[in-house]
Amino acid sequence: MKKLKQAVCLLLMICLLFLLTLTGCDRKGDTASHSQDNQSNEDMEPMTLKMIAGSNGKQKDHDKVIAKANEILQELIPNTTIDIEFIPFAEYGQKFDLMMAGQETIDIAWNSYNQSLRSIVNKGALLPLNDLVDNHAPDIKKEIPDWLLAGGLVENELYMIPKYEMHFWQLAIYSPQAKFEKYFDMEQAKKVFNVNQEYMHITSDMWDFLEDYMKKADDAGDLGKGFSPWVFTLNEGQDLIGDKPPWTYGMPASTRIYTPGNPWDFTVLNTYKRPEIIEMFKKYADWREKGYIIEDMISLQNPRLEIENANTEDGALIFFHGYQNPKLEGEYYIENRWELPTVRFPIQQYPMVTTNNRDGLTIPVTAKDPIRSMKVIELLETKKGKEFYNTLIYGIEGEHYKKINDNRVEYTVGTNERRSLESTYGQANFVLGNCHNAYVNQLDLVDDYTSYWEHMHQLSFNNPFGAFKYDDTDTINEITQIKSVLSEYVKGFICGYYTEESYNEFLSKLEIAGVDKVIGDVQKQVDAYLEEQGIPKTGYVIHE
């Protein structure tokens, strides 16, 4: 099976390189073979552009909504329509690779947060966008700041328009409000999770606190689906490779994230040899034995949909995602997205700016008309396309939502979770364009998030790896084998199936796959990056 996976990956690479040769290695995405700059929109031949994006899947009213969006699009770019295929998030990266290897015509593609932009560019799958933006979509640079566009650069060429939303990360516990208010010791939590530590990681006191919370609920018959480990990122550190397989805890080359006031150690470590990671997997095994992690966790594809939504009393007691509190009131935030209110309680002491976003909109080399693709992306990223963009997010006014004011809507799609497959229609704003232009809805406490996001950016510390993108040219074979090993073992460890024997076997297979070579190559590139950015290798401190 392992050899088969390697053979498939090699075939994908060969196909992509062949495709790059056909399209021309020096192609800038603005050539005579496509619609010309001096050609008016009205003169363009009718064309349907194929777009792919991440989602929870195709919903009941998908075709009806896309037809309405195309009516709006025709007024903005005559003779142009789009056909959007929404691909489940867990399948997106692999399906994108297969589409590119098969030379399938894709005109606009979302780059997933689990994909490495650098790796995809190295495969020759994307067009550079510099000339296309300057000549055909100038409003993008007027409305999206340079510091954000830098997240879409590879070797000073722009390949992606990064999502524009909140650019800070602060991990939070999510828990059903009724259970939180019964069993969660908030004063103790503030002491445990706000403890001064050299670098971000899960301490023994944190583990004990979480277990005590679950035990209280379990003793009262309120454990539900217990603990979901899916996005518990406090131990993760800085993944320096990216493009991790689903259900893994990052690629095995990372640094720790040091807190303000403490000097950074930029030594690249094998993620899976870090003591805090091993301790975490041991804890998960213990919790599975105690029933805090359900036996069925190993069979889940998307815990966010399957056990973390609070539509039933027996959903997960504890799960994790980012913290937001847009009114800046109180010590936690109550989320009303699901049928049962859910508390978000911050457990990451210092929020961190995350400018190096991996997700955004791109134009593949297979695009029929890159200029027209760029014009559509401009609509999705700027104010002049706001109605078009929000139709793709919310659906049809009067049917899927009603307008409350110019920027607020109330959706009516049969469920609070409008992005679920039970909903008639509803898609993620961050997948489709510029979130600053998205309507807010009944779950949002403010009419405009801009001032809150700016406030949080000021409070957050800057990640020194904000512009780092690993070039895997010299290690692609090793990384392919490493991903195969990660896919074979790590989901089991996350779901509580750690044993010392299986873990040693896992580490041995990583070594055979070439993890030491990869870590050495990453370290070399990190050293060069630090020098280029003017960041000292020792003594670098972020101040509060």
Side-chain angles (χ1 to χ4, degrees):
M1 185 67 184
K2 177 179 174 183
K3 290 183 178 179
L4 177 59
K5 288 181 179 178
Q6 293 174 12
V8 169
C9 291
L10 181 59
L11 179 60
L12 290 177
M13 278 294 298
I14 292 170
C15 290
L16 284 169
L17 290 171
F18 178 67
L19 178 59
L20 178 61
T21 303
L22 290 178
T23 54
C25 293
D26 61 346
R27 182 176 180 183
K28 295 296 179 184
D30 195 356
T31 64
S33 62
H34 300 284
S35 58
Q36 301 299 305
D37 192 33
N38 60 3
Q39 183 182 34
S40 70
N41 286 339
E42 290 76 8
D43 293 336
M44 293 191 296
E45 65 180 28
M47 183 179 292
T48 297
L49 302 180
K50 173 69 177 289
M51 179 176 178
I52 59 173
S55 170
N56 290 326
K58 185 174 180 178
Q59 295 161 309
K60 176 178 176 287
D61 287 351
H62 171 92
D63 294 339
K64 184 190 297 187
V65 172
I66 299 304
K68 178 61 177 177
N70 278 326
E71 291 177 14
I72 301 168
L73 179 58
Q74 288 273 11
E75 296 177 5
L76 298 166
I77 310 176
N79 301 319
T80 303
T81 56
I82 60 167
D83 173 26
I84 302 183
E85 179 180 353
F86 286 117
I87 300 169
F89 288 112
E91 303 169 13
Y92 186 85
Q94 183 179 21
K95 188 157 187 180
F96 174 84
D97 286 344
L98 290 171
M99 286 175 162
M100 291 297 96
Q103 301 183 38
E104 187 170 336
T105 299
I106 304 295
D107 300 290
I108 301 171
W110 175 63
N111 190 74
S112 164
Y113 40 73
N114 283 330
Q115 294 173 286
S116 164
L117 179 65
R118 180 75 182 245
S119 176
I120 294 172
V121 169
N122 285 350
K123 294 173 183 176
L126 302 178
L127 289 175
L129 305 180
N130 302 62
D131 292 342
L132 287 166
V133 170
D134 290 343
N135 296 327
H136 308 290
D139 284 357
I140 284 178
K141 288 190 174 179
K142 295 176 185 176
E143 297 188 29
I144 297 180
D146 289 342
W147 63 262
L148 178 65
L149 289 174
L153 294 175
V154 175
E155 300 292 346
N156 295 317
E157 287 277 7
L158 183 67
Y159 285 92
M160 179 181 76
I161 309 300
K163 68 176 180 184
Y164 191 15
E165 57 158 4
M166 63 176 188
H167 287 285
F168 62 91
W169 176 257
Q170 185 176 21
L171 190 68
I173 285 177
Y174 286 36
S175 190
Q177 182 184 7
K179 298 180 181 182
F180 180 90
E181 292 176 349
K182 283 183 184 178
Y183 312 115
F184 193 89
D185 185 341
M186 191 163 62
E187 293 306 313
Q188 181 65 14
K190 286 188 289 186
K191 294 176 184 177
V192 168
F193 289 102
N194 287 325
V195 65
N196 290 323
Q197 52 181 209
E198 182 185 5
Y199 55 88
M200 291 186 190
H201 66 288
I202 308 165
T203 67
S204 59
D205 286 344
M206 294 175 189
W207 288 122
D208 291 345
F209 176 86
L210 294 173
E211 183 163 345
D212 183 61
Y213 178 40
M214 287 188 287
K215 186 176 186 307
K216 288 177 183 176
D218 192 25
D219 288 347
D222 271 348
L223 182 63
K225 295 293 193 302
F227 180 90
S228 177
W230 204 36
V231 193
F232 196 13
T233 59
L234 276 185
N235 271 342
E236 196 169 79
Q238 177 65 49
D239 182 348
L240 295 165
I241 298 176
D243 200 18
K244 65 179 183 179
W247 270 103
T248 57
Y249 209 73
M251 293 293 285
S254 63
T255 63
R256 293 181 169 114
I257 292 176
Y258 289 80
T259 57
N262 290 292
W264 279 63
D265 182 348
F266 291 111
T267 304
V268 179
L269 305 171
N270 182 333
T271 306
Y272 295 96
K273 286 187 174 180
R274 284 165 40 203
E276 61 268 31
I277 301 295
I278 297 172
E279 178 60 30
M280 177 180 68
F281 291 147
K282 288 180 179 179
K283 183 63 68 175
Y284 289 165
D286 178 51
W287 283 358
R288 185 182 65 82
E289 290 290 332
K290 292 175 177 175
Y292 297 153
I293 293 178
I294 61 173
E295 291 289 338
D296 288 346
M297 186 71 70
I298 192 76
S299 65
L300 301 184
Q301 297 300 313
N302 187 342
R304 180 70 76 237
L305 293 178
E306 295 163 285
I307 66 168
E308 293 181 2
N309 63 66
N311 291 324
T312 62
E313 294 286 352
D314 67 344
L317 176 70
I318 297 174
F319 55 107
F320 303 90
H321 212 270
Y323 182 66
Q324 284 199 74
N325 188 356
K327 281 196 169 183
L328 298 172
E329 296 174 353
E331 296 177 295
Y332 58 84
Y333 172 74
I334 299 175
E335 169 86 84
N336 290 306
R337 180 176 306 277
W338 298 285
E339 301 301 326
L340 301 174
T342 301
V343 168
R344 296 182 182 185
F345 182 82
I347 59 171
Q348 179 178 317
Q349 184 178 14
Y350 297 100
M352 180 174 64
V353 172
T354 54
T355 57
N356 188 8
N357 288 286
R358 293 192 175 97
D359 49 325
L361 297 180
T362 69
I363 300 178
V365 294
T366 57
K368 297 184 292 294
D369 186 342
I371 291 176
R372 207 174 322 203
S373 296
M374 194 72 250
K375 289 176 180 290
V376 172
I377 290 176
E378 184 184 37
L379 296 178
L380 295 170
E381 299 287 356
T382 62
K383 290 183 176 66
K384 65 184 177 184
K386 185 170 183 175
E387 183 185 6
F388 171 62
Y389 169 58
N390 278 286
T391 299
L392 294 175
I393 297 169
Y394 284 105
I396 301 169
E397 184 177 0
E399 185 169 349
H400 301 106
Y401 70 91
K402 60 182 179 181
K403 268 255 184 120
I404 306 302
N405 59 40
D406 286 345
N407 201 52
R408 178 173 286 277
V409 301
E410 182 177 317
Y411 58 79
T412 52
V413 292
T415 173
N416 261 13
E417 183 43 77
R418 64 182 186 83
R419 289 162 49 188
S420 72
L421 295 182
E422 288 72 39
S423 165
T424 52
Y425 188 82
Q427 296 296 334
N429 54 11
F430 69 88
V431 166
L432 291 163
N434 183 344
C435 297
H436 286 260
N437 295 326
Y439 298 146
V440 296
N441 58 59
Q442 62 262 44
L443 302 186
D444 296 300
L445 299 181
V446 295
D447 285 340
D448 185 353
Y449 280 88
T450 302
S451 60
Y452 170 65
W453 289 344
E454 290 176 352
H455 170 77
M456 290 303 297
H457 292 163
Q458 292 295 320
L459 288 181
S460 304
F461 71 89
N462 285 311
N463 179 352
F465 287 103
F468 180 78
K469 293 184 180 68
Y470 176 61
D471 182 353
D472 63 3
T473 301
D474 295 333
T475 57
I476 186 64
N477 292 332
E478 288 79 11
I479 284 177
T480 299
Q481 295 178 61
I482 285 169
K483 287 181 178 179
S484 177
V485 176
L486 295 178
S487 296
E488 182 181 355
Y489 285 92
V490 178
K491 183 176 183 179
F493 299 144
I494 291 175
C495 294
Y497 290 90
Y498 168 96
T499 66
E500 186 173 346
E501 180 182 1
S502 64
Y503 204 75
N504 288 336
E505 182 181 274
F506 162 65
L507 293 177
S508 177
K509 286 190 177 182
L510 284 180
E511 290 180 6
I512 293 169
V515 68
D516 292 337
K517 176 183 175 181
V518 171
I519 289 172
D521 192 55
V522 174
Q523 184 71 69
K524 182 174 68 174
Q525 293 187 37
V526 165
D527 291 346
Y529 167 82
L530 294 174
E531 184 174 355
E532 180 184 307
Q533 298 291 316
I535 298 173
K537 293 180 183 178
T538 58
Y540 178 77
V541 176
I542 295 171
H543 297 286
E544 295 187 51

